[in-house]
Amino acid sequence: GNSVTQMEGPVTLSEEAFLTINCTYTATGYPSLFWYVQYPGEGLQLLLKATKADDKGSNKGFEATYRKETTSFHLEKGSVQVSDSAVYFCALRGGGTSYGKLTFGQGTILTVHP
Amino acid sequence: NAGVMQNPRHLVRRRGQEARLRCSPMKGHSHVYWYRQLPEEGLKFMVYLQKENIIDESGMPKERFSAEFPKEGPSILRIQQVVRGDSAAYFCASSPPAGTDTEAFFGQGTRLTVV
């Protein structure tokens, strides 16, 4: 079956530091890959996505590249802000699966200090 | 265009009571998905519904849990005879019919506490 593994958290950084959150996956076929962000007390918001190998998703300074050879979709940001503090979830949707059926990683808590 | 609306936001139930969680999808969305998030874990898919049909319930516990999405009104996730282990955040997502290039949108969740 499908699965997603994220790096263990929590991650604590100073403002303007570089961020990497690792994500690897196992899936059959050609999945689509996503990063969602969850702010305290809120639901999930789609941060970025990639639907095929070598695609790069980007949004709000965050980037992730779909690497089929390493089955990875690592999230990066060059300079984090305090407002980026949240929980980040990597997720996949299996090929041919309906839009909303996703497999999530366990989440990584990010705290950014001024 | 309002987003996915879930209510209540917080729900407290005593062991053995019933919990009813409601989800109104975004306008134009006919597909609803329910997820459960246990403390310090990711979201786990429970069920996928279209109007008056359960499409995929592979993630639903076999007992005490049920879901519906009637022709009129919100989708309901029902948990009978709640136990402490049911305490979690329950999220609903909705998406448009297949063939439209968009993603599912999530509600803010209902946080269920069983005491």
Side-chain angles (χ1 to χ4, degrees):
Chain A
N2 297 335
S3 67
V4 175
T5 302
Q6 288 181 234
M7 66 183 287
E8 294 284 334
V11 174
T12 302
L13 295 173
S14 297
E15 206 164 24
E16 299 184 4
F18 184 83
L19 168 71
T20 300
I21 301 177
N22 290 338
C23 171
T24 57
Y25 68 89
T26 302
T28 55
Y30 303 95
S32 295
L33 301 173
F34 307 85
W35 278 99
Y36 281 84
V37 58
Q38 183 180 32
Y39 297 102
E42 301 293 323
L44 274 72
Q45 300 174 26
L46 178 63
L47 181 59
L48 54 84
K49 68 176 183 181
T51 57
K52 61 182 187 295
D54 299 325
D55 268 2
K56 177 185 282 188
S58 61
N59 186 27
K60 299 181 181 180
F62 291 89
E63 292 183 339
T65 301
Y66 187 162
R67 302 285 189 201
K68 193 168 177 65
E69 63 277 12
T70 54
T71 61
S72 65
F73 193 54
H74 305 322
L75 182 68
E76 297 182 336
K77 186 175 185 182
S79 176
V80 293
Q81 305 300 313
V82 172
S83 58
D84 293 327
S85 298
V87 184
Y88 291 82
F89 292 95
C90 185
L92 72 80
R93 182 177 69 213
T97 306
S98 57
Y99 291 115
K101 186 177 181 183
L102 301 163
T103 300
F104 284 89
Q106 70 271 35
T108 300
I109 299 172
L110 170 66
T111 303
V112 180
H113 292 298
Chain B
N1 187 9
V4 179
M5 304 300 292
Q6 290 188 247
N7 67 80
R9 291 290 305 277
H10 300 275
L11 181 62
V12 179
R13 285 287 178 265
R14 296 187 183 280
R15 280 177 294 171
Q17 291 185 318
E18 179 180 283
R20 281 183 180 241
L21 288 62
R22 295 175 185 77
C23 170
S24 296
M26 285 182 70
K27 186 177 181 180
H29 287 193
S30 55
H31 300 193
V32 165
Y33 311 81
W34 285 95
Y35 286 81
R36 177 166 63 176
Q37 183 181 28
L38 294 170
E40 299 185 8
E41 292 188 16
L43 278 72
K44 298 282 194 265
F45 168 79
M46 299 179 75
V47 62
Y48 162 34
L49 309 108
Q50 295 177 19
K51 289 281 188 181
E52 300 184 285
N53 279 307
I54 297 174
I55 307 303
D56 181 345
E57 56 182 347
S58 57
M60 285 282 270
K62 294 287 186 276
E63 298 177 347
R64 302 187 297 108
F65 285 72
S66 62
E68 62 176 6
F69 189 15
K71 188 176 181 181
E72 301 291 337
S75 176
I76 306 287
L77 179 67
R78 183 183 178 204
I79 311 172
Q80 295 178 291
Q81 300 176 321
V82 295
V83 300
R84 288 232 171 101
D86 297 332
S87 295
Y90 292 83
F91 290 93
C92 169
S94 72
S95 71
T100 307
D101 184 19
T102 186
E103 305 305 325
F105 292 83
F106 282 81
Q108 293 183 301
T110 294
R111 282 155 180 82
L112 172 66
T113 302
V114 179
V115 297

